[in-house]
Amino acid sequence: DAFKLFTIVNDRGKQLRRMDVLKAKNISPDIVKSDAVRTSLAQKWEEWEKNLGEETFESVLYLLRFILLEEKPYNDLLFEYEEKIFNKGKLEKGQKFIDTVFEYCSLFNDIFEDFTYFDNQPNKIRITSLLFIMRNEFKSYEWKACLMQYIKIYKEDNIEKFLSLLELKYLEGWITGLNKDTRTSIFGKIINSINKSSNSKEVIESESLKVDFTKIKKTLEDDLYGKTFTKYLLLRLELLATEHDVEKKIEAKSIEHVLPQIIEEGSDWKNWFSEEEKDNWVNKLANLVLLSKSKNSSAKNLDFSDKKKKYLEKRVSDYPRSVQVLKYTEWTPKVLLERQDELNKIAFNDIFK
């Protein structure tokens, strides 16, 4: 059986993964007495690992750890499960633990892999489209734990409002440059609120989900090219410009400057922009578009009319807001000022609200 296999492999000196050890400790004969139950649990564990993939399956174990402890890891995963979870009575060892893992695997799969959890929601397309870019662009895992635990306890009650606030809390830390430990602590407080509240309204109104927009607003008015969050912001603006009657999962290869970083003598750019104006606008939100194909360095410094026809047309067609660039005959400081004002209004009316 699975436990015998574990001991044999271990005796042979093969390096075992943490999740293998965790499984073996929880289906050992002294914990799960029935051979049939042990075999069944081991098979289901292997099925979930295969379905999700080794890396994703292990990430669910870390998510569950965070949900139970509400804090960043201070030690090895095995130590924390043994000493902080099992020994502290937060979760019973053995079949109860294994079944809980399966429950969260199913939830993770439905929310973040298959995107089927919200199939019965009237705003299913809007929710899953947002989740898709959050999953792809939000690199830390804690926000996923918060969403999973919220759904486990409160189902779909006020789910759109909670998801919006969760996105804002992530963006607040990302945009304002909070360090990893501080961001983890913030999501730990959100998990605590989810676990302790008596209803979804309490969670949504809790201090853990309050956002300070002051620094965010100032940052968005600065140069954004090269910032780690800029691609997400551009994707989010594209999502707002998309019709929500057809599901569309938006991705992007890269970000392009419309006004190039280097402008050549004799070009239209030289006639439209002074050096000071170029420096002011080149890295602003208004001058950036998403590309669905790889960059072509030989085309990026073309005059605006040629750049549209030979370069941008083929690379921005998937993005409704970026496509708007193609309608302009000139790309001047006046155009950029109007576009910057428009994008800032959209961002603060529809994302940072």
Side-chain angles (χ1 to χ4, degrees), residues 285-319:
L285 182 63
N287 190 51
L288 304 176
V289 293
L290 293 171
L291 300 182
S292 59
K293 299 178 182 178
S294 300
K295 288 188 176 186
N296 181 347
S297 58
S298 65
K300 65 183 180 181
N301 293 334
L302 292 171
D303 273 337
F304 183 55
S305 58
D306 289 334
K307 191 170 189 176
K308 285 194 299 179
K309 291 175 187 176
K310 298 178 180 178
Y311 185 54
L312 292 177
E313 273 185 8
K314 300 174 183 177
R315 289 170 169 81
V316 301
S317 58
D318 291 340
Y319 313 114

PDB file of all heavy atoms in Angstrom, residues 285-319:
ATOM      1  N   LEU A 285       0.920  56.500 -18.790  1.00  0.00           N
ATOM      2  CA  LEU A 285      -0.128  55.529 -19.124  1.00  0.00           C
ATOM      3  C   LEU A 285      -0.736  55.790 -20.493  1.00  0.00           C
ATOM      4  O   LEU A 285      -0.987  54.862 -21.270  1.00  0.00           O
ATOM      5  CB  LEU A 285      -1.217  55.576 -18.048  1.00  0.00           C
ATOM      6  CG  LEU A 285      -2.396  54.608 -18.176  1.00  0.00           C
ATOM      7  CD1 LEU A 285      -1.916  53.160 -18.090  1.00  0.00           C
ATOM      8  CD2 LEU A 285      -3.433  54.890 -17.090  1.00  0.00           C
ATOM      9  N   ALA A 286      -0.977  57.052 -20.825  1.00  0.00           N
ATOM     10  CA  ALA A 286      -1.637  57.414 -22.089  1.00  0.00           C
ATOM     11  C   ALA A 286      -0.855  56.972 -23.313  1.00  0.00           C
ATOM     12  O   ALA A 286      -1.436  56.765 -24.389  1.00  0.00           O
ATOM     13  CB  ALA A 286      -1.854  58.927 -22.138  1.00  0.00           C
ATOM     14  N   ASN A 287       0.454  56.819 -23.183  1.00  0.00           N
ATOM     15  CA  ASN A 287       1.305  56.496 -24.334  1.00  0.00           C
ATOM     16  C   ASN A 287       1.603  54.999 -24.455  1.00  0.00           C
ATOM     17  O   ASN A 287       2.354  54.587 -25.327  1.00  0.00           O
ATOM     18  CB  ASN A 287       2.632  57.277 -24.231  1.00  0.00           C
ATOM     19  CG  ASN A 287       3.451  57.183 -25.493  1.00  0.00           C
ATOM     20  OD1 ASN A 287       2.964  57.433 -26.593  1.00  0.00           O
ATOM     21  ND2 ASN A 287       4.711  56.795 -25.349  1.00  0.00           N
ATOM     22  N   LEU A 288       1.020  54.187 -23.590  1.00  0.00           N
ATOM     23  CA  LEU A 288       1.347  52.762 -23.568  1.00  0.00           C
ATOM     24  C   LEU A 288       0.192  51.927 -24.086  1.00  0.00           C
ATOM     25  O   LEU A 288      -0.968  52.181 -23.758  1.00  0.00           O
ATOM     26  CB  LEU A 288       1.703  52.329 -22.145  1.00  0.00           C
ATOM     27  CG  LEU A 288       2.834  53.113 -21.466  1.00  0.00           C
ATOM     28  CD1 LEU A 288       3.011  52.653 -20.025  1.00  0.00           C
ATOM     29  CD2 LEU A 288       4.141  52.970 -22.243  1.00  0.00           C
ATOM     30  N   VAL A 289       0.512  50.921 -24.899  1.00  0.00           N
ATOM     31  CA  VAL A 289      -0.492  49.977 -25.401  1.00  0.00           C
ATOM     32  C   VAL A 289       0.028  48.551 -25.226  1.00  0.00           C
ATOM     33  O   VAL A 289       1.231  48.318 -25.131  1.00  0.00           O
ATOM     34  CB  VAL A 289      -0.845  50.225 -26.883  1.00  0.00           C
ATOM     35  CG1 VAL A 289      -1.555  51.555 -27.062  1.00  0.00           C
ATOM     36  CG2 VAL A 289       0.401  50.144 -27.775  1.00  0.00           C
ATOM     37  N   LEU A 290      -0.902  47.615 -25.202  1.00  0.00           N
ATOM     38  CA  LEU A 290      -0.544  46.201 -25.107  1.00  0.00           C
ATOM     39  C   LEU A 290      -0.328  45.614 -26.493  1.00  0.00           C
ATOM     40  O   LEU A 290      -0.995  45.997 -27.460  1.00  0.00           O
ATOM     41  CB  LEU A 290      -1.657  45.423 -24.399  1.00  0.00           C
ATOM     42  CG  LEU A 290      -1.869  45.741 -22.923  1.00  0.00           C
ATOM     43  CD1 LEU A 290      -3.133  45.053 -22.420  1.00  0.00           C
ATOM     44  CD2 LEU A 290      -0.671  45.307 -22.091  1.00  0.00           C
ATOM     45  N   LEU A 291       0.581  44.642 -26.583  1.00  0.00           N
ATOM     46  CA  LEU A 291       0.830  43.925 -27.831  1.00  0.00           C
ATOM     47  C   LEU A 291       0.518  42.441 -27.650  1.00  0.00           C
ATOM     48  O   LEU A 291       0.879  41.854 -26.633  1.00  0.00           O
ATOM     49  CB  LEU A 291       2.294  44.067 -28.257  1.00  0.00           C
ATOM     50  CG  LEU A 291       2.834  45.475 -28.508  1.00  0.00           C
ATOM     51  CD1 LEU A 291       4.276  45.400 -28.977  1.00  0.00           C
ATOM     52  CD2 LEU A 291       1.986  46.226 -29.521  1.00  0.00           C
ATOM     53  N   SER A 292      -0.146  41.863 -28.647  1.00  0.00           N
ATOM     54  CA  SER A 292      -0.457  40.433 -28.597  1.00  0.00           C
ATOM     55  C   SER A 292       0.663  39.599 -29.214  1.00  0.00           C
ATOM     56  O   SER A 292       0.685  38.376 -29.077  1.00  0.00           O
ATOM     57  CB  SER A 292      -1.765  40.145 -29.337  1.00  0.00           C
ATOM     58  OG  SER A 292      -1.669  40.562 -30.687  1.00  0.00           O
ATOM     59  N   LYS A 293       1.591  40.266 -29.923  1.00  0.00           N
ATOM     60  CA  LYS A 293       2.727  39.579 -30.531  1.00  0.00           C
ATOM     61  C   LYS A 293       4.014  40.200 -30.010  1.00  0.00           C
ATOM     62  O   LYS A 293       4.011  41.266 -29.409  1.00  0.00           O
ATOM     63  CB  LYS A 293       2.668  39.693 -32.055  1.00  0.00           C
ATOM     64  CG  LYS A 293       1.418  39.054 -32.670  1.00  0.00           C
ATOM     65  CD  LYS A 293       1.408  39.236 -34.172  1.00  0.00           C
ATOM     66  CE  LYS A 293       0.143  38.640 -34.786  1.00  0.00           C
ATOM     67  NZ  LYS A 293       0.087  38.842 -36.243  1.00  0.00           N
ATOM     68  N   SER A 294       5.115  39.517 -30.273  1.00  0.00           N
ATOM     69  CA  SER A 294       6.409  40.009 -29.787  1.00  0.00           C
ATOM     70  C   SER A 294       6.766  41.345 -30.422  1.00  0.00           C
ATOM     71  O   SER A 294       6.318  41.676 -31.524  1.00  0.00           O
ATOM     72  CB  SER A 294       7.500  38.985 -30.096  1.00  0.00           C
ATOM     73  OG  SER A 294       7.218  37.757 -29.465  1.00  0.00           O
ATOM     74  N   LYS A 295       7.607  42.101 -29.704  1.00  0.00           N
ATOM     75  CA  LYS A 295       8.047  43.395 -30.211  1.00  0.00           C
ATOM     76  C   LYS A 295       8.950  43.229 -31.431  1.00  0.00           C
ATOM     77  O   LYS A 295       9.619  42.214 -31.598  1.00  0.00           O
ATOM     78  CB  LYS A 295       8.813  44.153 -29.122  1.00  0.00           C
ATOM     79  CG  LYS A 295       7.944  44.675 -27.991  1.00  0.00           C
ATOM     80  CD  LYS A 295       8.780  45.561 -27.084  1.00  0.00           C
ATOM     81  CE  LYS A 295       7.929  46.186 -25.989  1.00  0.00           C
ATOM     82  NZ  LYS A 295       8.680  47.156 -25.198  1.00  0.00           N
ATOM     83  N   ASN A 296       8.974  44.261 -32.276  1.00  0.00           N
ATOM     84  CA  ASN A 296       9.884  44.313 -33.419  1.00  0.00           C
ATOM     85  C   ASN A 296      10.677  45.601 -33.286  1.00  0.00           C
ATOM     86  O   ASN A 296      10.172  46.688 -33.570  1.00  0.00           O
ATOM     87  CB  ASN A 296       9.089  44.290 -34.727  1.00  0.00           C
ATOM     88  CG  ASN A 296      10.000  44.307 -35.945  1.00  0.00           C
ATOM     89  OD1 ASN A 296      11.196  44.570 -35.839  1.00  0.00           O
ATOM     90  ND2 ASN A 296       9.426  44.032 -37.100  1.00  0.00           N
ATOM     91  N   SER A 297      11.898  45.496 -32.824  1.00  0.00           N
ATOM     92  CA  SER A 297      12.691  46.694 -32.514  1.00  0.00           C
ATOM     93  C   SER A 297      12.934  47.565 -33.732  1.00  0.00           C
ATOM     94  O   SER A 297      13.108  48.781 -33.619  1.00  0.00           O
ATOM     95  CB  SER A 297      14.028  46.290 -31.896  1.00  0.00           C
ATOM     96  OG  SER A 297      14.746  45.431 -32.765  1.00  0.00           O
ATOM     97  N   SER A 298      12.930  46.986 -34.931  1.00  0.00           N
ATOM     98  CA  SER A 298      13.205  47.774 -36.142  1.00  0.00           C
ATOM     99  C   SER A 298      12.046  48.689 -36.505  1.00  0.00           C
ATOM    100  O   SER A 298      12.209  49.624 -37.278  1.00  0.00           O
ATOM    101  CB  SER A 298      13.505  46.835 -37.320  1.00  0.00           C
ATOM    102  OG  SER A 298      12.355  46.063 -37.641  1.00  0.00           O
ATOM    103  N   ALA A 299      10.833  48.433 -35.939  1.00  0.00           N
ATOM    104  CA  ALA A 299       9.664  49.222 -36.316  1.00  0.00           C
ATOM    105  C   ALA A 299       9.245  50.226 -35.260  1.00  0.00           C
ATOM    106  O   ALA A 299       8.426  51.105 -35.519  1.00  0.00           O
ATOM    107  CB  ALA A 299       8.494  48.283 -36.615  1.00  0.00           C
ATOM    108  N   LYS A 300       9.799  50.140 -34.070  1.00  0.00           N
ATOM    109  CA  LYS A 300       9.256  50.923 -32.957  1.00  0.00           C
ATOM    110  C   LYS A 300       9.486  52.418 -33.092  1.00  0.00           C
ATOM    111  O   LYS A 300       8.777  53.215 -32.474  1.00  0.00           O
ATOM    112  CB  LYS A 300       9.829  50.417 -31.635  1.00  0.00           C
ATOM    113  CG  LYS A 300      11.322  50.602 -31.465  1.00  0.00           C
ATOM    114  CD  LYS A 300      11.775  49.999 -30.142  1.00  0.00           C
ATOM    115  CE  LYS A 300      13.273  50.164 -29.944  1.00  0.00           C
ATOM    116  NZ  LYS A 300      13.722  49.563 -28.678  1.00  0.00           N
ATOM    117  N   ASN A 301      10.477  52.861 -33.919  1.00  0.00           N
ATOM    118  CA  ASN A 301      10.773  54.284 -34.057  1.00  0.00           C
ATOM    119  C   ASN A 301      10.188  54.900 -35.331  1.00  0.00           C
ATOM    120  O   ASN A 301      10.499  56.040 -35.675  1.00  0.00           O
ATOM    121  CB  ASN A 301      12.284  54.524 -34.034  1.00  0.00           C
ATOM    122  CG  ASN A 301      12.890  54.206 -32.676  1.00  0.00           C
ATOM    123  OD1 ASN A 301      12.203  54.267 -31.658  1.00  0.00           O
ATOM    124  ND2 ASN A 301      14.162  53.856 -32.661  1.00  0.00           N
ATOM    125  N   LEU A 302       9.338  54.165 -36.024  1.00  0.00           N
ATOM    126  CA  LEU A 302       8.713  54.685 -37.240  1.00  0.00           C
ATOM    127  C   LEU A 302       7.842  55.891 -36.932  1.00  0.00           C
ATOM    128  O   LEU A 302       7.370  56.070 -35.808  1.00  0.00           O
ATOM    129  CB  LEU A 302       7.847  53.606 -37.886  1.00  0.00           C
ATOM    130  CG  LEU A 302       8.550  52.389 -38.487  1.00  0.00           C
ATOM    131  CD1 LEU A 302       7.526  51.335 -38.874  1.00  0.00           C
ATOM    132  CD2 LEU A 302       9.395  52.792 -39.693  1.00  0.00           C
ATOM    133  N   ASP A 303       7.599  56.722 -37.969  1.00  0.00           N
ATOM    134  CA  ASP A 303       6.625  57.789 -37.816  1.00  0.00           C
ATOM    135  C   ASP A 303       5.261  57.192 -37.490  1.00  0.00           C
ATOM    136  O   ASP A 303       4.987  56.029 -37.806  1.00  0.00           O
ATOM    137  CB  ASP A 303       6.541  58.623 -39.101  1.00  0.00           C
ATOM    138  CG  ASP A 303       7.566  59.748 -39.127  1.00  0.00           C
ATOM    139  OD1 ASP A 303       8.025  60.157 -38.041  1.00  0.00           O
ATOM    140  OD2 ASP A 303       7.901  60.225 -40.230  1.00  0.00           O
ATOM    141  N   PHE A 304       4.392  58.002 -36.900  1.00  0.00           N
ATOM    142  CA  PHE A 304       3.129  57.500 -36.368  1.00  0.00           C
ATOM    143  C   PHE A 304       2.291  56.778 -37.429  1.00  0.00           C
ATOM    144  O   PHE A 304       1.783  55.668 -37.185  1.00  0.00           O
ATOM    145  CB  PHE A 304       2.339  58.650 -35.759  1.00  0.00           C
ATOM    146  CG  PHE A 304       1.046  58.241 -35.113  1.00  0.00           C
ATOM    147  CD1 PHE A 304       1.028  57.254 -34.121  1.00  0.00           C
ATOM    148  CD2 PHE A 304      -0.150  58.826 -35.489  1.00  0.00           C
ATOM    149  CE1 PHE A 304      -0.165  56.873 -33.519  1.00  0.00           C
ATOM    150  CE2 PHE A 304      -1.350  58.452 -34.889  1.00  0.00           C
ATOM    151  CZ  PHE A 304      -1.352  57.476 -33.904  1.00  0.00           C
ATOM    152  N   SER A 305       2.137  57.361 -38.596  1.00  0.00           N
ATOM    153  CA  SER A 305       1.286  56.749 -39.636  1.00  0.00           C
ATOM    154  C   SER A 305       1.849  55.398 -40.072  1.00  0.00           C
ATOM    155  O   SER A 305       1.102  54.429 -40.259  1.00  0.00           O
ATOM    156  CB  SER A 305       1.150  57.682 -40.846  1.00  0.00           C
ATOM    157  OG  SER A 305       2.429  57.992 -41.377  1.00  0.00           O
ATOM    158  N   ASP A 306       3.169  55.321 -40.244  1.00  0.00           N
ATOM    159  CA  ASP A 306       3.792  54.052 -40.640  1.00  0.00           C
ATOM    160  C   ASP A 306       3.761  53.040 -39.499  1.00  0.00           C
ATOM    161  O   ASP A 306       3.569  51.840 -39.729  1.00  0.00           O
ATOM    162  CB  ASP A 306       5.246  54.288 -41.069  1.00  0.00           C
ATOM    163  CG  ASP A 306       5.351  55.024 -42.390  1.00  0.00           C
ATOM    164  OD1 ASP A 306       4.405  54.918 -43.195  1.00  0.00           O
ATOM    165  OD2 ASP A 306       6.362  55.725 -42.606  1.00  0.00           O
ATOM    166  N   LYS A 307       3.953  53.513 -38.287  1.00  0.00           N
ATOM    167  CA  LYS A 307       3.946  52.621 -37.127  1.00  0.00           C
ATOM    168  C   LYS A 307       2.573  51.968 -36.970  1.00  0.00           C
ATOM    169  O   LYS A 307       2.478  50.782 -36.635  1.00  0.00           O
ATOM    170  CB  LYS A 307       4.316  53.402 -35.866  1.00  0.00           C
ATOM    171  CG  LYS A 307       4.590  52.528 -34.646  1.00  0.00           C
ATOM    172  CD  LYS A 307       5.189  53.337 -33.505  1.00  0.00           C
ATOM    173  CE  LYS A 307       5.658  52.446 -32.376  1.00  0.00           C
ATOM    174  NZ  LYS A 307       6.327  53.179 -31.300  1.00  0.00           N
ATOM    175  N   LYS A 308       1.523  52.732 -37.203  1.00  0.00           N
ATOM    176  CA  LYS A 308       0.172  52.164 -37.120  1.00  0.00           C
ATOM    177  C   LYS A 308      -0.021  51.061 -38.156  1.00  0.00           C
ATOM    178  O   LYS A 308      -0.487  49.963 -37.829  1.00  0.00           O
ATOM    179  CB  LYS A 308      -0.877  53.262 -37.357  1.00  0.00           C
ATOM    180  CG  LYS A 308      -1.075  54.213 -36.198  1.00  0.00           C
ATOM    181  CD  LYS A 308      -2.341  55.045 -36.362  1.00  0.00           C
ATOM    182  CE  LYS A 308      -2.294  55.890 -37.621  1.00  0.00           C
ATOM    183  NZ  LYS A 308      -3.532  56.677 -37.797  1.00  0.00           N
ATOM    184  N   LYS A 309       0.317  51.349 -39.400  1.00  0.00           N
ATOM    185  CA  LYS A 309       0.044  50.421 -40.503  1.00  0.00           C
ATOM    186  C   LYS A 309       0.962  49.202 -40.473  1.00  0.00           C
ATOM    187  O   LYS A 309       0.518  48.064 -40.648  1.00  0.00           O
ATOM    188  CB  LYS A 309       0.207  51.132 -41.848  1.00  0.00           C
ATOM    189  CG  LYS A 309      -0.857  52.184 -42.120  1.00  0.00           C
ATOM    190  CD  LYS A 309      -0.546  52.920 -43.423  1.00  0.00           C
ATOM    191  CE  LYS A 309      -1.510  54.086 -43.622  1.00  0.00           C
ATOM    192  NZ  LYS A 309      -1.166  54.880 -44.827  1.00  0.00           N
ATOM    193  N   LYS A 310       2.241  49.425 -40.264  1.00  0.00           N
ATOM    194  CA  LYS A 310       3.220  48.346 -40.398  1.00  0.00           C
ATOM    195  C   LYS A 310       3.460  47.565 -39.111  1.00  0.00           C
ATOM    196  O   LYS A 310       4.047  46.486 -39.151  1.00  0.00           O
ATOM    197  CB  LYS A 310       4.557  48.914 -40.890  1.00  0.00           C
ATOM    198  CG  LYS A 310       4.467  49.565 -42.264  1.00  0.00           C
ATOM    199  CD  LYS A 310       5.814  50.149 -42.675  1.00  0.00           C
ATOM    200  CE  LYS A 310       5.729  50.809 -44.043  1.00  0.00           C
ATOM    201  NZ  LYS A 310       7.019  51.417 -44.449  1.00  0.00           N
ATOM    202  N   TYR A 311       3.016  48.118 -37.979  1.00  0.00           N
ATOM    203  CA  TYR A 311       3.402  47.507 -36.702  1.00  0.00           C
ATOM    204  C   TYR A 311       2.212  47.316 -35.755  1.00  0.00           C
ATOM    205  O   TYR A 311       1.864  46.201 -35.372  1.00  0.00           O
ATOM    206  CB  TYR A 311       4.477  48.379 -36.052  1.00  0.00           C
ATOM    207  CG  TYR A 311       5.064  47.829 -34.776  1.00  0.00           C
ATOM    208  CD1 TYR A 311       5.603  46.547 -34.719  1.00  0.00           C
ATOM    209  CD2 TYR A 311       5.113  48.607 -33.629  1.00  0.00           C
ATOM    210  CE1 TYR A 311       6.161  46.048 -33.549  1.00  0.00           C
ATOM    211  CE2 TYR A 311       5.669  48.126 -32.452  1.00  0.00           C
ATOM    212  CZ  TYR A 311       6.191  46.841 -32.424  1.00  0.00           C
ATOM    213  OH  TYR A 311       6.742  46.357 -31.267  1.00  0.00           O
ATOM    214  N   LEU A 312       1.547  48.419 -35.388  1.00  0.00           N
ATOM    215  CA  LEU A 312       0.530  48.339 -34.351  1.00  0.00           C
ATOM    216  C   LEU A 312      -0.729  47.593 -34.774  1.00  0.00           C
ATOM    217  O   LEU A 312      -1.309  46.848 -33.983  1.00  0.00           O
ATOM    218  CB  LEU A 312       0.164  49.755 -33.877  1.00  0.00           C
ATOM    219  CG  LEU A 312       1.254  50.516 -33.124  1.00  0.00           C
ATOM    220  CD1 LEU A 312       0.782  51.917 -32.773  1.00  0.00           C
ATOM    221  CD2 LEU A 312       1.671  49.774 -31.861  1.00  0.00           C
ATOM    222  N   GLU A 313      -1.171  47.800 -36.016  1.00  0.00           N
ATOM    223  CA  GLU A 313      -2.426  47.188 -36.475  1.00  0.00           C
ATOM    224  C   GLU A 313      -2.461  45.682 -36.228  1.00  0.00           C
ATOM    225  O   GLU A 313      -3.481  45.124 -35.829  1.00  0.00           O
ATOM    226  CB  GLU A 313      -2.650  47.465 -37.968  1.00  0.00           C
ATOM    227  CG  GLU A 313      -3.349  48.776 -38.244  1.00  0.00           C
ATOM    228  CD  GLU A 313      -3.656  48.956 -39.727  1.00  0.00           C
ATOM    229  OE1 GLU A 313      -3.449  47.988 -40.496  1.00  0.00           O
ATOM    230  OE2 GLU A 313      -4.089  50.055 -40.110  1.00  0.00           O
ATOM    231  N   LYS A 314      -1.354  45.014 -36.468  1.00  0.00           N
ATOM    232  CA  LYS A 314      -1.293  43.554 -36.335  1.00  0.00           C
ATOM    233  C   LYS A 314      -1.123  43.096 -34.891  1.00  0.00           C
ATOM    234  O   LYS A 314      -1.293  41.919 -34.595  1.00  0.00           O
ATOM    235  CB  LYS A 314      -0.110  43.012 -37.157  1.00  0.00           C
ATOM    236  CG  LYS A 314      -0.200  43.314 -38.649  1.00  0.00           C
ATOM    237  CD  LYS A 314       1.079  42.884 -39.350  1.00  0.00           C
ATOM    238  CE  LYS A 314       1.029  43.259 -40.822  1.00  0.00           C
ATOM    239  NZ  LYS A 314       2.302  42.905 -41.520  1.00  0.00           N
ATOM    240  N   ARG A 315      -0.793  44.033 -34.022  1.00  0.00           N
ATOM    241  CA  ARG A 315      -0.433  43.637 -32.657  1.00  0.00           C
ATOM    242  C   ARG A 315      -1.381  44.145 -31.570  1.00  0.00           C
ATOM    243  O   ARG A 315      -1.265  43.740 -30.428  1.00  0.00           O
ATOM    244  CB  ARG A 315       0.990  44.128 -32.349  1.00  0.00           C
ATOM    245  CG  ARG A 315       2.065  43.360 -33.118  1.00  0.00           C
ATOM    246  CD  ARG A 315       3.427  44.021 -32.973  1.00  0.00           C
ATOM    247  NE  ARG A 315       4.491  43.148 -33.477  1.00  0.00           N
ATOM    248  CZ  ARG A 315       4.806  43.014 -34.748  1.00  0.00           C
ATOM    249  NH1 ARG A 315       4.132  43.687 -35.682  1.00  0.00           N
ATOM    250  NH2 ARG A 315       5.780  42.191 -35.121  1.00  0.00           N
ATOM    251  N   VAL A 316      -2.307  45.034 -31.909  1.00  0.00           N
ATOM    252  CA  VAL A 316      -3.229  45.558 -30.888  1.00  0.00           C
ATOM    253  C   VAL A 316      -4.681  45.165 -31.154  1.00  0.00           C
ATOM    254  O   VAL A 316      -5.576  45.573 -30.414  1.00  0.00           O
ATOM    255  CB  VAL A 316      -3.133  47.105 -30.776  1.00  0.00           C
ATOM    256  CG1 VAL A 316      -1.734  47.539 -30.426  1.00  0.00           C
ATOM    257  CG2 VAL A 316      -3.633  47.788 -32.042  1.00  0.00           C
ATOM    258  N   SER A 317      -4.919  44.365 -32.177  1.00  0.00           N
ATOM    259  CA  SER A 317      -6.301  44.069 -32.588  1.00  0.00           C
ATOM    260  C   SER A 317      -7.101  43.334 -31.516  1.00  0.00           C
ATOM    261  O   SER A 317      -8.336  43.366 -31.532  1.00  0.00           O
ATOM    262  CB  SER A 317      -6.304  43.249 -33.884  1.00  0.00           C
ATOM    263  OG  SER A 317      -5.572  42.051 -33.717  1.00  0.00           O
ATOM    264  N   ASP A 318      -6.438  42.668 -30.576  1.00  0.00           N
ATOM    265  CA  ASP A 318      -7.145  41.937 -29.522  1.00  0.00           C
ATOM    266  C   ASP A 318      -7.588  42.844 -28.369  1.00  0.00           C
ATOM    267  O   ASP A 318      -8.300  42.385 -27.473  1.00  0.00           O
ATOM    268  CB  ASP A 318      -6.236  40.838 -28.931  1.00  0.00           C
ATOM    269  CG  ASP A 318      -5.984  39.726 -29.933  1.00  0.00           C
ATOM    270  OD1 ASP A 318      -6.767  39.604 -30.895  1.00  0.00           O
ATOM    271  OD2 ASP A 318      -4.999  38.989 -29.756  1.00  0.00           O
ATOM    272  N   TYR A 319      -7.204  44.099 -28.414  1.00  0.00           N
ATOM    273  CA  TYR A 319      -7.413  44.979 -27.264  1.00  0.00           C
ATOM    274  C   TYR A 319      -8.227  46.212 -27.662  1.00  0.00           C
ATOM    275  O   TYR A 319      -7.705  47.117 -28.329  1.00  0.00           O
ATOM    276  CB  TYR A 319      -6.059  45.417 -26.689  1.00  0.00           C
ATOM    277  CG  TYR A 319      -5.101  44.268 -26.516  1.00  0.00           C
ATOM    278  CD1 TYR A 319      -3.930  44.191 -27.269  1.00  0.00           C
ATOM    279  CD2 TYR A 319      -5.375  43.235 -25.615  1.00  0.00           C
ATOM    280  CE1 TYR A 319      -3.050  43.131 -27.113  1.00  0.00           C
ATOM    281  CE2 TYR A 319      -4.497  42.175 -25.463  1.00  0.00           C
ATOM    282  CZ  TYR A 319      -3.346  42.126 -26.221  1.00  0.00           C
ATOM    283  OH  TYR A 319      -2.477  41.072 -26.080  1.00  0.00           O
TER     284      TYR A 319
END
